[in-house]
């Protein structure tokens, strides 16, 4: 027993030494002056690992295509935040203090981004989030930006779609209550829908459910009784697909609309025929090239990951990297305050997922894409302009 | 306690004090942060060890108690000026909208509230034993989380709270940790502590000895919850943000891991293992960095590897130290002296006693 323990310890020690040696050997080779470091903190293990991995894919792809700025090599420092809030803050501080990064990208999951927000603002390191949609992330934080639109905009877009395209006068909402994203969307949908119809009671029912619920009969029966023209159901894809399915079984033929979380293969797998014709808003569609950069991204993605369709968050990760690079180039320096000001001044930047203009909060004002499910596939329908 | 031990303890405390001064002046924010997190996890693990390790109640409700403390600090120390920006969907409930408490008061209130809820849940549930108690307390911690999610006007629901003042600096955190450690050590060596241990060893025998089972169990449960609430408040203040998703039941397993690793029923073991687990994970970050030996990059070294290695280390520890690093022994001056003096001396000392 003791011998095994000793051997294992020896191996671990040897590995530690090897790691130590290599980083020492690598350091003088790449002179610090010639490298611009961009930190990436993403959940690569834990509950949100799948989302983080997709974003990192896009960031790495962008780094391969555009490896240099101001004549210096850009080095990505990727750290894992374990899908844990305390770890996310640690990871961000590590990037700032140990790695001395010029800018930071991340993170998937708004609560992780919020935990890193305080140290980022304190140390004045410009940070661009790719897919964190909670408005609180950038609010009152001068150094946090994002390349995605926020929940209010998506809710507003879907309210307009319901009113203008579907001619709906009465809407029902069924929301995933434990999800900040769903609650935000639902709230702004309601606000806009009431404004459009001019009827304070236009939203006839707001039903709630919790993550991992499987039976929605009670909520749906309630909604059926109110007889709305459209049902807005922002939330996680599995639950949403089951809601649509159970609604159809109950004989509810009302159109369902939702948000970008629906855009996963699982949504169609779970929903099957029932989800045919549902409509949702999202960031990006491969078939509708929004800018010339879209094609560059798609070609590179097809080469790197054949047989796979790029996810929206991958394109957003790609955009976050490009946005920082562009800001460094425009400011002509790696001084964090200058880069921050350059990012804040971003206007009509051609990103892969559409042109990006940042508003005074640091949120992207950009077009939303409306998609539907047709023959078991996500199909592009329309692009809604930001204003 | 011998006189020499007393002197040594005072020296140790002075050393800690000097270390804190030096750390505050010279260490960078990253190391300070990790040290602070270690201390907060120490409080959490110690309070859980009081319930699980010393009283033998298999409770998994710690994330819930922590959430109560964290939200208390989050809600009541949030400056009134930033409240409207936080509560933008539904305004804060008028009853608390203009109540702002000093950090210390909010921290204590969090602890007291956590203890109060521990009493509410403990009164019916502590009659259960083993796995049943674990399930009931686990369910309770989920209930707290879901209640917090649904009280939109008080907790801001799933959106969470941001911009909580970061009052909890190193002095606060280490001060509270020290108080916790001293309190728990005194408690455990008191008659209450002996009663807790008696309950852990054999409930029926303890009852036969005249120990009021219910009273002692609920006392241990409430004290544990109180310190968990305090630690939660420090955690919220350190991170400057709270949201309900932070307190899912898997958070409890972090502390369970620490106490199992350190030894159920050992204060010093818990402290040591809280530092090993928390700081160790940060130190192991270099496994996540790309590695190349002589210009050949090894694909194995990529983000996530440290969690694999951490798990392997855990398995090794569980295999070779069945009762955790310390078992139910304590690291005290006698033990240290034993370690450093020659073997023959130790045997002689043993005979003399």
């Amino acid at each position: 027993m003791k011998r095994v323990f000793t051997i294992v310890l020896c191996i671990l020690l040897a590995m530690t030494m090897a790691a130590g040696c290599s980083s020492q050997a690598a350091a003088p080779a790449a002179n610090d002056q010639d490298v611009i470091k961009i930190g990436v903190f993403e959940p690569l293990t834990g509950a949100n690992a799948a989302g983080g991995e997709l974003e990192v894919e896009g960031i790495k792809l962008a780094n391969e295509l555009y490896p240099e700025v101001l004549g210096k090599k850009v080095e990505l420092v990727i750290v894992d935040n374990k899908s844990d809030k305390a770890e996310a803050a640690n990871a961000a501080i590590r990037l700032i203090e140990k790695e001395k990064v010029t800018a930071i990208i991340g993170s998937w999951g708004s609560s992780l981004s919020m935990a890193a927000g305080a140290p980022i603002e304190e140390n004045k390191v410009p940070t661009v989030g790719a897919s964190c949609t909670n408005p609180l992330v950038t609010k009152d934080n001068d150094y946090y930006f994002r390349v995605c639109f926020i929940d209010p905009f998506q809710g507003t877009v879907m309210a307009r779609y319901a009113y203008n395209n579907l001619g709906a006068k009465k809407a029902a909402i069924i929301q995933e209550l434990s999800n900040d994203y769903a609650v935000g969307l639902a709230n702004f949908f309601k606000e806009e829908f009431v404004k459009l119809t001019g009827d304070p009671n236009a939203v006839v029912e707001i039903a709630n459910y919790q993550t991992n619920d499987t039976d929605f009969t009670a909520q749906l029966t309630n909604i059926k009784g109110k007889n709305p023209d459209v049902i807005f159901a922002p939330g996680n894809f599995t639950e949403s697909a089951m809601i649509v399915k159970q609604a159809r079984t109950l004989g509810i033929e009302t159109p369902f609309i939702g948000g970008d979380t629906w855009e996963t293969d699982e949504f169609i797998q779970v929903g099957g025929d029932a989800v045919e014709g549902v409509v949702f808003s999202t960031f990006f569609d491969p078939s509708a090239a929004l800018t010339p950069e879209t094609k560059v991204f798609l070609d590179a993605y097809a080469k790197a990951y054949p047989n796979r369709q790029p996810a929206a968050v991958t394109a957003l990760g790609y955009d976050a990297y490009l946005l920082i690079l562009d800001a460094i180039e425009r400011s002509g320096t790696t001084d964090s305050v200058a880069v921050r000001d350059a990012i804040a001044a971003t206007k009509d930047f051609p990103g892969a997922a559409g042109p990006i203009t940042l508003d005074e909060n640091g949120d992207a004002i950009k077009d939303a894409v409306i998609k539907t499910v047709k023959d078991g596939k996500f199909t592009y329908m329309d692009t809604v302009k930001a204003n | 306690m011998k006189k020499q031990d007393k002197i040594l303890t005072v020296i140790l405390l002075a050393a800690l004090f000097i270390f804190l001064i030096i750390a505050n002046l010279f260490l960078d924010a990253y190391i300070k942060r990790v040290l602070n997190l270690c201390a907060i996890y120490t409080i959490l693990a110690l309070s859980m060890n009081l319930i699980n390790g010393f009283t033998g109640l298999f409770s998994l409700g710690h994330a819930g108690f922590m959430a109560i403390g964290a939200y208390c600090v989050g809600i009541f120390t949030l400056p009134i000026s930033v409240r409207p920006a936080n509560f933008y969907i539904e305004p804060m409930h008028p009853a608390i909208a203009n109540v702002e408490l000093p950090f210390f008061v909010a921290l204590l209130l969090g602890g007291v509230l956590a203890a109060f809820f521990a009493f509410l849940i403990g009164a019916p549930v502590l009659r259960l034993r083993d796995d049943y108690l674990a399930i009931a307390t686990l369910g309770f911690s989920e209930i707290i989380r879901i209640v917090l999610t649904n009280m939109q006007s008080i907790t801001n629901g799933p959106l969470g709270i941001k911009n909580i003042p970061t009052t909890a600096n190193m002095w606060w955190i280490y001060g509270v940790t020290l108080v916790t450690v001293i309190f728990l050590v005194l408690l455990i060596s008191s008659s209450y502590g002996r009663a807790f241990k008696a309950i852990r060893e054999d409930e029926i025998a303890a009852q036969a000895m005249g120990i009021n089972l219910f009273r002692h169990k609920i006392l241990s449960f409430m004290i544990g919850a109180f310190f968990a609430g305090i630690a939660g408040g420090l955690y919220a203040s350190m991170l400057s943000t709270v949201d309900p998703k932070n307190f899912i039941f898997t958070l409890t397993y972090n502390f369970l891991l620490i106490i199992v690793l350190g030894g159920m029923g050992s204060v010093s073991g818990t402290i040591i293992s809280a530092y090993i687990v928390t700081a160790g994970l940060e130190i192991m970050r270099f496994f996540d960095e790309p590695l190349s030996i002589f210009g050949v990059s090894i694909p194995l070294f990529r983000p996530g590897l440290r969690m694999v290695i951490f798990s392997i280390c855990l398995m090794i520890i569980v295999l070779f130290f069945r009762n955790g690093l310390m078992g139910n022994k304590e690291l005290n001056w006698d033990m240290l002296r034993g370690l450093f003096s020659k073997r023959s001396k130790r045997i002689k000392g043993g005979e003399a006693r």
Side-chain angles (χ1 to χ4, degrees):
Chain A
M1 281 265 270
K2 242 183 182 159
R3 180 166 286 177
V4 180
F5 189 49
T6 322
I7 291 170
V8 173
L9 268 181
C10 283
I11 294 171
L12 279 176
L13 211 67
M15 278 166 77
T16 319
M17 266 175 66
C21 288
S22 71
S23 54
Q24 267 168 13
N31 197 331
D32 267 8
Q33 296 300 310
D34 300 333
V35 172
I36 292 178
K37 282 185 175 176
I38 294 183
V40 179
F41 79 107
E42 291 284 353
L44 297 168
T45 52
N48 298 340
E53 196 68 51
L54 284 174
E55 246 175 70
V56 170
E57 260 176 23
I59 298 164
K60 277 187 178 162
L61 204 64
N63 182 239
E64 277 161 32
L65 288 179
Y66 304 94
E68 279 187 359
V69 65
L70 302 177
K72 291 176 187 172
K73 201 172 168 305
V74 179
E75 189 191 322
L76 289 180
V77 186
I78 302 172
V79 292
D80 169 30
N81 65 28
K82 225 180 109 192
S83 315
D84 177 287
K85 258 185 123 155
E87 285 260 344
N90 282 352
I93 297 179
R94 185 188 166 87
L95 287 173
I96 296 164
E97 292 279 344
K98 293 267 165 223
E99 310 283 355
K100 310 273 180 219
V101 295
T102 306
I104 299 177
I105 303 174
S107 156
W108 203 94
S110 296
S111 72
L112 300 174
S113 305
M114 261 152 69
I120 280 167
E121 195 182 13
E122 202 175 300
N123 292 289
K124 300 192 186 332
V125 178
T127 303
V128 178
S131 64
C132 35
T133 51
N134 186 334
L136 288 180
V137 173
T138 54
K139 219 169 195 171
D140 295 329
N141 191 336
D142 286 343
Y143 284 82
Y144 225 117
F145 303 90
R146 65 180 127 212
V147 293
C148 53
F149 45 65
I150 52 176
D151 302 338
F153 178 65
Q154 252 193 99
T156 314
V157 163
M158 290 323 285
R160 284 188 198 147
Y161 174 83
Y163 182 75
N164 298 332
N165 300 38
L166 298 177
K169 296 278 177 286
K170 282 190 293 175
I173 295 172
I174 176 164
Q175 61 179 353
E176 185 185 352
L177 194 63
S178 41
N179 191 337
D180 52 348
Y181 157 87
V183 173
L185 245 68
N187 184 61
F188 289 98
F189 175 89
K190 185 183 163 200
E191 232 168 59
E192 181 72 12
F193 196 72
V194 167
K195 210 165 84 190
L196 288 170
T197 52
D199 172 12
N201 300 319
V203 174
V204 289
E205 172 81 16
I206 298 180
N208 300 319
Y209 66 91
Q210 302 286 345
T211 318
N212 297 335
D213 278 2
T214 49
D215 181 35
F216 309 94
T217 327
Q219 291 98 317
L220 288 168
T221 316
N222 242 341
I223 288 174
K224 194 181 177 188
K226 301 276 168 67
N227 202 15
D229 302 323
V230 63
I231 301 173
F232 185 53
N236 196 17
F237 48 85
T238 325
E239 285 85 344
S240 302
M242 284 197 277
I243 288 172
V244 181
K245 214 170 162 178
Q246 291 178 18
R248 299 292 182 245
T249 326
L250 284 173
I252 301 174
E253 294 304 323
T254 320
F256 269 90
I257 56 178
D260 65 282
T261 41
W262 287 9
E263 199 180 4
T264 54
D265 293 336
E266 285 84 352
F267 180 73
I268 293 180
Q269 278 164 20
V270 175
D273 288 341
V275 297
E276 279 290 310
V278 299
V279 174
F280 58 90
S281 60
T282 184
F283 302 100
F284 151 89
D285 184 78
S287 69
L290 298 159
T291 63
E293 194 60 45
T294 314
K295 201 175 153 2
V296 179
F297 166 72
L298 287 176
D299 290 349
Y301 192 89
K303 219 156 110 197
Y305 308 96
N307 313 323
R308 271 176 59 187
Q309 280 282 320
V313 290
T314 309
L316 290 169
Y318 180 92
D319 281 1
Y321 177 85
L322 290 193
L323 192 75
I324 289 174
L325 226 59
D326 174 67
I328 293 174
E329 187 137 11
R330 274 189 288 127
S331 63
T333 154
T334 53
D335 175 56
S336 65
V337 179
V339 173
R340 184 252 156 217
D341 291 341
I343 294 178
T346 303
K347 207 170 181 318
D348 294 325
F349 177 76
I356 301 165
T357 304
L358 294 181
D359 68 6
E360 73 279 1
N361 279 332
D363 299 327
I365 304 167
K366 63 200 290 186
D367 305 345
V369 169
I370 305 261
K371 282 194 190 179
T372 181
V373 178
K374 201 175 164 190
D375 304 327
K377 279 205 176 79
F378 295 117
T379 318
Y380 172 80
M381 266 176 78
D382 200 5
T383 305
V384 179
K385 289 279 168 229
N387 293 311
Chain B
M1 216 181 194
K2 280 183 287 182
K3 199 182 174 196
Q4 199 190 357
D5 288 355
K6 271 186 187 159
I7 296 168
L8 282 171
T9 312
V10 171
I11 292 174
L12 183 74
L13 287 179
L16 179 72
F17 188 72
I18 293 166
F19 168 74
L20 284 181
I21 294 175
I22 295 172
N24 255 316
L25 287 177
F26 298 109
L27 292 182
D28 63 35
Y30 172 62
I31 296 177
K32 270 199 249 174
R33 183 75 163 215
V34 175
L35 286 175
N36 284 343
L37 194 64
C38 288
I40 291 176
Y41 278 5
T42 303
I43 305 178
L44 283 162
L46 276 179
S47 58
M48 192 165 171
N49 208 348
L50 177 71
I51 303 172
N52 289 28
F54 286 103
T55 322
L57 305 167
F58 191 24
S59 153
L60 293 176
H62 241 56
F65 299 132
M66 191 182 163
I68 294 173
Y71 264 98
C72 224
V73 166
I75 292 166
F76 290 115
T77 65
L78 191 69
I80 289 170
S81 57
V82 302
R83 289 188 186 180
N86 257 293
F87 289 75
Y88 69 95
I89 285 190
E90 201 173 309
M92 209 166 181
H93 196 275
I96 54 164
N98 289 312
V99 183
E100 191 182 339
L101 297 175
F103 177 65
F104 183 67
V105 178
L107 197 64
L108 269 186
L109 183 68
V112 171
L113 269 182
F116 172 69
F117 279 100
F119 177 77
L120 283 188
I121 176 72
V125 151
L126 284 178
R127 290 163 207 284
L128 302 171
R129 282 186 199 180
D130 304 337
D131 318 356
Y132 302 104
L133 178 65
I135 294 167
T137 47
L138 187 74
F140 172 66
S141 108
E142 279 294 279
I143 290 172
I144 290 184
R145 188 176 64 82
I146 288 172
V147 168
L148 289 173
T149 310
N150 285 275
M151 293 199 301
Q152 181 87 40
S153 64
I154 296 172
T155 63
N156 208 17
L159 293 161
I161 299 174
K162 205 187 101 158
N163 282 344
I164 301 167
T166 44
T167 323
N169 55 16
M170 217 164 183
W171 291 110
W172 269 108
I173 292 171
Y174 273 79
V176 174
T177 312
L178 197 65
V179 171
T180 312
V181 172
I182 293 171
F183 180 85
L184 286 181
V185 167
L186 291 178
L187 178 75
I188 287 160
S189 50
S190 72
S191 66
Y192 285 105
R194 286 194 291 277
F196 293 160
K197 285 182 201 163
I199 293 171
R200 172 187 70 190
E201 297 306 331
D202 193 327
E203 280 193 14
I204 295 168
Q207 204 167 16
M209 296 293 290
I211 293 171
N212 185 336
L213 276 190
F214 179 74
R215 189 161 153 253
H216 283 91
K217 278 184 177 181
I218 200 108
L219 191 68
S220 157
F221 200 58
M222 280 172 71
I223 294 172
F226 174 80
F227 283 110
I230 296 273
L234 292 173
Y235 183 83
S237 178
M238 186 186 76
L239 282 180
S240 86
T241 144
V242 284
D243 67 287
K245 258 190 223 153
N246 202 358
F247 302 103
I248 47 174
F249 60 91
T250 48
L251 190 69
T252 308
Y253 298 148
N254 288 350
F255 318 133
L256 191 64
L257 170 78
I258 291 173
I259 61 173
V260 169
L261 196 65
M264 295 278 243
S266 167
V267 172
S268 46
T270 309
I271 299 174
I272 293 168
S273 96
Y275 276 79
I276 290 180
V277 170
T278 318
L281 267 178
E282 286 298 324
I283 293 167
M284 282 201 283
R285 270 200 195 275
F286 69 84
F287 287 119
D288 280 6
E289 287 162 11
L291 172 83
S292 52
I293 296 174
F294 307 119
V296 184
S297 74
I298 299 171
L300 194 63
F301 277 73
R302 69 218 284 311
L305 180 67
R306 74 184 170 123
M307 293 312 293
V308 177
I309 294 186
F310 182 67
S311 317
I312 295 172
C313 292
L314 282 185
M315 277 185 244
I316 292 172
I317 291 174
V318 171
L319 279 176
F320 290 90
F321 299 87
R322 285 279 156 85
N323 295 317
L325 292 172
M326 299 290 295
N328 53 12
K329 288 192 275 300
E330 290 294 348
L331 186 70
N332 49 28
W333 297 116
D334 280 336
M335 190 181 179
L336 279 177
R337 242 176 260 135
L339 280 175
F340 288 114
S341 61
K342 279 184 192 144
R343 207 195 169 93
S344 59
K345 251 190 190 168
R346 200 164 56 184
I347 294 168
K348 224 166 95 186
E351 280 167 353
R353 250 176 258 153

